Amino acid sequence: MSEVAARRHWKRPPFIQNPLLRWGLWLVLAVYLALAFGTMEIDWSRVAEGVTRGQRFLASFFPPDFTSRWDSIEEGILESLWMTITSTVVGIMLSIPVGLGAARNLSWRPVYLFCRGILAVSRTFPEIILAIFFVKLFGFGPFAGFLALSVGTIGFYGKLLAEDIEDMDPVQAEAIKSVGAGWLQWLNYAVQPQVMPRMIGLGIYRLDINFRESAVVGIVGGGGIGATLLTSFDRYEFDSAAAILLIIIGIVMAMEYSSGYIRKWVQ
Amino acid sequence: MPVQEKSGQKIWHRRTTAKQFAVWFGWLIGVAIFVYCWQLISEKTIWFFVTDAPKQAADMAERMVPPAWSYMDTLWGPVWDTINIATLGTMIAIVIAVPVAFCAARNTTPSRTFVRPVALFIIVSSRSINSLIWALMLVTLIGPGVLAGVIAIGLRSVGFCAKLLYEAIEEIDPTQVEAIVATGASRGQQLSYGIVPQILPAFAGISVFRWDINIRESTVLGLVGAGGIGLQLDASISTLAWTQVSLILLVILATVIVSEWVSAKIRHAII
């Protein structure tokens, strides 16, 4: 018995059972990496130059300079915050009808396909590309950024809302229907209470995302802190840029902590 | 149960009166904040441009069709670059994210008071700075090109991957780890036999999910000079070559849809 046990050696089972597939995937990966590095045009001398300069570059970020450009920083941050709040509110309001339409168990086929189409298109393009076009159409300033973020919110929130409604407990919905509720009453008393806790959490999460995105739509002219940040980079005022980045990190951190509390409080 | 008596009839309400007022008050404050913010934005908007927008949009749409299909020949390179940026960036992110995640998870961190806060700070700062801003910095540092894009995507994704991964590590089944400990395994063996097998599916899912997001993000990095199809988009917009712009948008749409399909397939196979 002990002899058998000594000869048998245990090996842990691999993650992918099929050996052909396992080795095939490694092969594909190797070929891909070779191709990718082979075709990438990297100017190594420029990189080496940058790395030696990196220390000076990093040093110029310290100490962060909050004071000398404070007026434009303050204006940019406030603009970003306004954009964040309005676009989240408008985006969520618009995404509710779209999300209801895109839930398979609520709407009929043509409406479902139409709403899914809206969601797919608004999710595909990054906010920044939307912002480029809205700046072309509506002029520079926070309005364009607001629109871009709202459209982004529709895609994100509408899709998750639709999925949440599709996953809801049909028994409760049927109970409300059986007491003779109208469609709106049914939505209000059967569907809404089931999806609400998760959707509030996601709404706060989207607020967080919108703030982070609002920091970049300014790069293409959509208002907010991004414009100030780009200017400070272009003028090599890295200490001001560092200040802006620290403020952004601080606000995101504050939002993340408070969102945890709000979510706990809601549930 | 808030039930009201009205002329002998019992009427059911969803909330008590006090609660109902609290809800209304909450709404009032919310609406006030919204209106205030909206006013400030409206002040900064030139409304003439906004009312003019539908005409402009129609005009732009007209100039965009038909897409310049012949331009596709020059687009294959940038598309390949875009995919490379996303893929290699995701790989860099994973390599950095794994140790960070193990340091950030409550049950595996070497020290809760020193190492964990540092790891959490790395996660938050990587997540709160957009990849476009990372790219902006890296282009100044190592020059324009694909490499800046790869590193930017990598740095941006570290936070995302590490956050989801450390949450997965915290949710593992401790009894399995205990079983490994009971056999006299060292710390490294505990990790490799007790924890890693439990988080491997989550790990693969997170990587593929982030890759999908990165494809989308890497399409715009070119706007600040970090390679990929964004360079062509920027150039076409600034030269007002609208037929090329529409083709680029179609290509981005197709790339994103394909990547989403691939990632959905892989995640479906894993889970």
Side-chain angles (χ1 to χ4, degrees):
Chain A
M1 186 70 191
S2 63
E3 207 180 313
V4 176
R7 243 186 285 132
R8 274 170 58 194
H9 187 75
W10 178 81
K11 256 171 73 178
R12 81 169 106 186
F15 184 50
I16 299 169
Q17 297 293 337
N18 185 348
L20 211 65
L21 184 67
R22 191 164 69 237
W23 292 110
L25 280 178
W26 281 114
L27 190 73
V28 168
L29 184 70
V31 170
Y32 169 75
L33 281 181
L35 272 178
F37 281 109
T39 53
M40 229 165 42
E41 285 166 23
I42 299 174
D43 186 355
W44 287 110
S45 61
R46 176 72 181 79
V47 173
E49 202 182 303
V51 170
T52 50
R53 268 198 323 215
Q55 211 156 18
R56 218 159 7 116
F57 178 76
L58 284 180
S60 61
F61 273 95
F62 292 101
D65 178 9
F66 287 91
T67 46
S68 55
R69 298 268 170 248
W70 179 249
D71 287 346
S72 41
I73 293 177
E74 192 190 10
E75 203 190 329
I77 288 281
L78 287 178
E79 211 169 271
S80 274
L81 284 174
W82 310 334
M83 269 162 50
T84 310
I85 293 172
T86 45
S87 63
T88 311
V89 170
V90 171
I92 289 180
M93 280 196 313
L94 291 178
S95 70
I96 289 172
V98 180
L100 289 176
R104 203 173 306 145
N105 49 354
L106 284 193
S107 68
W108 46 295
R109 199 83 191 154
V111 177
Y112 167 76
L113 289 176
F114 177 70
C115 290
R116 283 280 162 173
I118 295 180
L119 292 182
V121 171
S122 60
R123 257 164 47 80
T124 304
F125 293 111
E127 280 82 350
I128 199 102
I129 291 186
L130 296 172
I132 293 176
F133 284 94
F134 288 136
V135 167
K136 290 257 176 248
L137 293 178
F138 298 97
F140 288 96
F143 188 75
F146 152 75
L147 278 181
L149 294 180
S150 304
V151 173
T153 307
I154 294 177
F156 172 88
Y157 204 76
K159 179 164 187 264
L160 292 169
L161 178 65
E163 277 168 8
D164 218 31
I165 293 177
E166 282 173 0
D167 287 343
M168 75 175 181
D169 182 5
V171 180
Q172 295 180 31
E174 210 175 308
I176 300 290
K177 214 164 220 176
S178 71
V179 299
W183 195 72
L184 276 178
Q185 281 176 320
W186 180 67
L187 273 190
N188 194 8
Y189 289 90
V191 179
Q192 191 217 6
Q194 288 197 51
V195 297
M196 208 57 174
R198 199 169 117 82
M199 291 330 278
I200 288 178
L202 284 172
I204 295 165
Y205 179 49
R206 185 65 212 189
L207 195 73
D208 194 39
I209 297 179
N210 276 347
F211 178 73
R212 277 181 264 163
E213 291 290 331
S214 79
V216 292
V217 289
I219 292 178
V220 295
I225 189 70
T228 324
L229 187 64
L230 188 66
T231 317
S232 64
F233 266 106
D234 286 346
R235 288 178 165 185
Y236 301 106
E237 289 173 357
F238 294 125
D239 41 2
S240 294
I244 296 174
L245 291 180
L246 281 178
I247 293 175
I248 294 176
I249 294 177
I251 293 180
V252 170
M253 262 178 143
M255 276 184 167
E256 206 148 288
Y257 277 113
S258 55
S259 80
Y261 280 111
I262 295 175
R263 250 179 277 184
K264 242 177 248 162
W265 181 67
V266 166
Q267 285 156 6
Chain B
M1 179 74 62
V3 179
Q4 206 178 28
E5 287 258 0
K6 205 183 249 175
S7 56
Q9 260 192 333
K10 279 184 177 169
I11 298 169
W12 176 82
H13 289 278
R14 197 166 166 184
R15 300 186 181 93
T16 58
T17 320
K19 224 174 170 187
Q20 186 67 52
F21 272 116
V23 169
W24 276 340
F25 189 66
W27 275 104
L28 183 72
I29 290 185
V31 171
I33 292 175
F34 173 73
V35 170
Y36 173 72
C37 292
W38 178 252
Q39 238 178 353
L40 293 170
I41 285 190
S42 161
E43 248 170 51
K44 293 211 165 189
T45 310
I46 303 168
W47 286 102
F48 170 71
F49 285 147
V50 177
T51 48
D52 191 38
K55 222 180 82 198
Q56 295 284 337
D59 192 35
M60 197 196 272
E62 197 179 308
R63 272 182 282 173
M64 273 184 163
V65 283
W69 298 112
S70 57
Y71 188 56
M72 197 62 219
D73 298 337
T74 47
L75 274 186
W76 290 115
V79 169
W80 173 243
D81 278 347
T82 305
I83 296 173
N84 282 341
I85 291 175
T87 315
L88 299 178
T90 312
M91 286 179 187
I92 293 181
I94 292 169
V95 170
I96 306 175
V98 169
V100 173
F102 275 105
C103 290
R106 265 192 209 93
N107 45 357
T108 54
T109 180
S111 150
R112 269 190 210 196
T113 40
F114 297 109
V115 180
R116 187 160 188 266
V118 173
L120 288 182
F121 182 74
I122 293 176
I123 290 175
V124 172
S125 42
S126 142
R127 266 157 49 81
S128 48
I129 299 179
N130 200 290
S131 52
L132 214 57
I133 298 178
W134 281 118
L136 202 64
M137 287 199 264
L138 286 160
V139 166
T140 343
L141 190 61
I142 59 173
V146 178
L147 187 66
V150 171
I151 300 176
I153 288 285
L155 290 176
R156 167 78 170 89
S157 315
V158 166
F160 180 91
C161 295
K163 183 177 169 58
L164 292 180
L165 199 57
Y166 97 72
E167 282 168 359
I169 296 174
E170 283 183 352
E171 280 166 16
I172 55 166
D173 179 8
T175 50
Q176 296 185 27
V177 184
E178 214 175 306
I180 303 287
V181 175
T183 62
S186 68
R187 233 184 118 75
Q189 283 171 324
Q190 284 170 35
L191 269 186
S192 117
Y193 287 89
I195 297 174
V196 170
Q198 290 196 54
I199 58 166
L200 216 49
F203 172 73
I206 293 165
S207 322
V208 177
F209 185 36
R210 187 64 217 186
W211 174 76
D212 181 19
I213 298 176
N214 281 345
I215 290 267
R216 212 168 300 190
E217 292 207 342
S218 58
T219 55
V220 294
L221 289 180
L223 296 177
V224 293
I229 201 166
L231 274 175
Q232 265 63 28
L233 182 66
D234 196 34
S236 302
I237 289 179
S238 13
T239 52
L240 305 177
W242 294 108
T243 50
Q244 293 180 9
V245 172
S246 57
L247 180 70
I248 293 173
L249 291 182
L250 284 178
V251 169
I252 292 178
L253 192 73
T255 318
V256 170
I257 289 175
V258 169
S259 75
E260 204 159 276
W261 180 79
V262 169
S263 98
K265 275 274 169 221
I266 296 179
R267 267 185 293 164
H268 194 73
I270 295 168
I271 300 160

